Amino acid sequence: MTKTKVMIVDDQFISRQLFEMIVNSSEAYEMVYSVESAAFADTFVLKHAIDLVLMDILMSDGSNGLDAAARIKKHCPEIKIIAVTSMPEASWLKKARAIGIDSFWYKEASKESILQVMDRTIAGESVYPDSVQPVKLGIATSTEFTERELEVLRIMTTGVSNAAIAKQLCISESTVKNHIHHMLEKTGCESRTALAIQARVSGIAISLEPCAE
């Protein structure tokens, strides 16, 4: 039986070890490469035979799995990619679909095991969760925020001013202030800074650079 060749891209040592153990213990899969950065993942697949990539999204070195997946799909669309993350950032699901990532798996919240998702993906299925797992932000849950509020919050976590947020979203600065005021009321956070910190720590709103072409 020909084994499916797997590459793992995850900056968390424990996660990489777990994925490696799962791959190595399966008769259907073969471990080819395991790395802690997405920066050169696309270069590796051009030089080596890879069938499936388990791709973490947020990397500690500043690289991200969505960028890497976009580059891989551009040059090697036949390679299957499963995005894996523990962060409940809602925009990542939409971006992953747009890029053409085959499946999406939450490390802590998914009902199916990663091996089950791998099997289904290799069989030709696209496996995505129905929704993002709700998480708490102050006294609110992530489901209480509007899409526009999350857009404001996502940019706010980068540390820019209200004026910069307004310019990026093509809205007025007063509208940005209103969105922030509503979020402060919902969460009980005492300041704009506290709201941004909690949003980033919880994983509700994480800004990534646009996917490279």
Side-chain angles (χ1 to χ4, degrees), residues 29 51-57 65-66 69 73 77 79-85 92-107 110 112-130:
Y29 299 97
D51 303 308
L52 174 66
V53 180
L54 303 184
M55 181 74 76
D56 191 19
I57 295 179
L66 295 181
K73 283 296 186 179
I79 293 177
K80 304 286 188 181
I81 301 176
I82 302 174
V84 299
T85 186
W92 290 355
L93 282 173
K94 184 184 296 185
K95 290 179 180 178
R97 288 186 186 276
I99 289 166
I101 290 174
D102 300 271
S103 298
F104 198 106
W105 186 76
Y106 285 111
K107 293 178 181 179
S110 294
E112 288 187 281
S113 70
I114 186 60
L115 186 58
Q116 289 174 313
V117 175
M118 290 165 65
D119 289 344
R120 291 179 62 187
T121 302
I122 290 300
E125 293 187 62
S126 181
V127 186
Y128 272 75
D130 295 328

Side-chain angles (χ1 to χ4, degrees), residues 4-8 23 30-34 44 48-50:
T4 298
K5 294 177 169 54
V6 179
M7 177 169 75
I8 296 168
V23 171
E30 176 186 343
M31 171 63 61
V32 176
Y33 193 54
S34 182
F44 187 86
H48 303 272
I50 299 292

Side-chain angles (χ1 to χ4, degrees), residues 145-146 148-150 152-153 156 162-163 165-166 169 171-187 192 195:
F145 295 93
T146 67
R148 178 60 90 182
E149 286 173 344
L150 288 173
V152 170
L153 190 56
M156 195 169 78
N162 289 349
I165 296 172
L169 294 178
I171 58 179
S172 69
E173 189 171 349
S174 63
T175 299
V176 172
K177 291 179 180 178
N178 285 336
H179 284 310
I180 294 174
H181 176 71
H182 291 154
M183 288 188 285
L184 289 173
E185 286 188 330
K186 289 178 182 180
T187 61
R192 182 185 188 280
L195 175 63

